[in-house]
Amino acid sequence: MTRMLIIGPPGAGKGTQAARICERLDVPAISTGDIFRANIKEQTELGKEAQRYTDAGNLVPDSVTNNMVRDRLSHDDVRDGFLLDGYPRTVAQVRELDRILEANGVSLDVVLLLTADNEELVTRLLGRAQDQGRTDDTEDVIRHRLDVYDEQTAPVVELYEDRGIVTRVDGLGGIDEVTERILAALPA
């Protein structure tokens, strides 16, 4: 059984690696972005509430996000493990996740922290923006996103480091190389 969280800066390959890890470990990937899209598409009560915020150009509040994650973690397919991607992002969300998991009688086994040099990430993200025609991803915007990530994520990582469950893995390199590095680093 593996219950894990994957954290890393924009461009570190979290989404790519999450999919590969889940396939290898046979656990579901739980992405808050996917949960939001599914709830909005299915027009659930939580989805309608989230859509009111996003339609107005506002961030979805923690209360809605927490409830969506709580609901997703109540499904049978997570009984033998899961990989969270995109949640928790704040200390308040860590505390809420602790309550959700405790209510289910489980806890996180590992927090996988993908690390990468910011200059490499800027280069990677600028290349991706060019490939995808994303004119809004300028170097200044990318550097700001990296700064925000560092600022918001540092306290979350610190909390999990205090618990002794953070595993750091270099997220730069070929996709297969990084996947093998991750699998080798995960606790048995």
Side-chain angles (χ1 to χ4, degrees), residues 88 90-100 159-160 163:
T90 65
V91 170
Q93 288 180 348
V94 169
R95 304 267 188 246
E96 186 60 25
L97 178 60
D98 287 345
R99 286 189 281 277
I100 293 166
L159 266 175
Y160 286 124
R163 297 178 189 182

Side-chain angles (χ1 to χ4, degrees), residues 5 88 94 108 111 156-166:
L5 161 65
V94 169
L108 283 179
V111 173
V156 171
V157 172
E158 189 176 305
L159 266 175
Y160 286 124
E161 280 181 330
D162 289 346
R163 297 178 189 182
I165 61 171
V166 174

Side-chain angles (χ1 to χ4, degrees), residues 17-165:
Q17 292 304 327
R20 295 174 130 235
I21 293 165
C22 289
E23 184 178 318
R24 294 271 190 99
L25 300 179
D26 195 28
V27 296
I30 300 175
S31 157
T32 49
D34 292 345
I35 294 171
F36 281 157
R37 285 184 288 280
N39 276 275
I40 290 170
K41 181 180 178 189
E42 294 167 16
Q43 286 293 289
T44 66
E45 287 307 311
L46 287 170
K48 290 176 189 175
E49 189 174 353
Q51 191 162 22
R52 282 195 296 274
Y53 290 100
T54 58
D55 285 352
N58 296 319
L59 292 175
V60 177
D62 277 359
S63 59
V64 176
T65 304
N66 293 339
N67 285 331
M68 284 187 183
V69 171
R70 178 179 290 103
D71 176 67
R72 180 63 185 91
L73 290 175
S74 71
H75 295 191
D76 286 342
D77 68 333
V78 302
R79 188 176 48 248
D80 294 331
F82 56 82
L83 184 147
L84 282 170
D85 178 9
Y87 180 94
R89 291 183 186 262
T90 65
V91 170
Q93 288 180 348
V94 169
R95 304 267 188 246
E96 186 60 25
L97 178 60
D98 287 345
R99 286 189 281 277
I100 293 166
L101 294 175
E102 186 177 317
N104 293 333
V106 298
S107 62
L108 283 179
D109 300 311
V110 64
V111 173
L112 176 62
L113 176 59
L114 289 182
T115 62
D117 175 74
N118 275 4
E119 295 309 311
E120 290 286 336
L121 290 173
V122 169
T123 301
R124 182 185 280 187
L125 288 169
L126 284 172
R128 186 166 77 183
Q130 186 175 21
D131 291 346
Q132 296 175 359
R134 295 172 61 169
T135 56
D136 56 331
D137 269 355
T138 64
E139 183 171 342
D140 287 343
V141 168
I142 290 168
R143 287 188 185 283
H144 177 71
R145 285 174 51 208
L146 290 169
D147 289 343
V148 168
Y149 164 81
D150 288 339
E151 182 181 302
Q152 290 182 346
T153 307
V156 171
V157 172
E158 189 176 305
L159 266 175
Y160 286 124
E161 280 181 330
D162 289 346
R163 297 178 189 182
I165 61 171

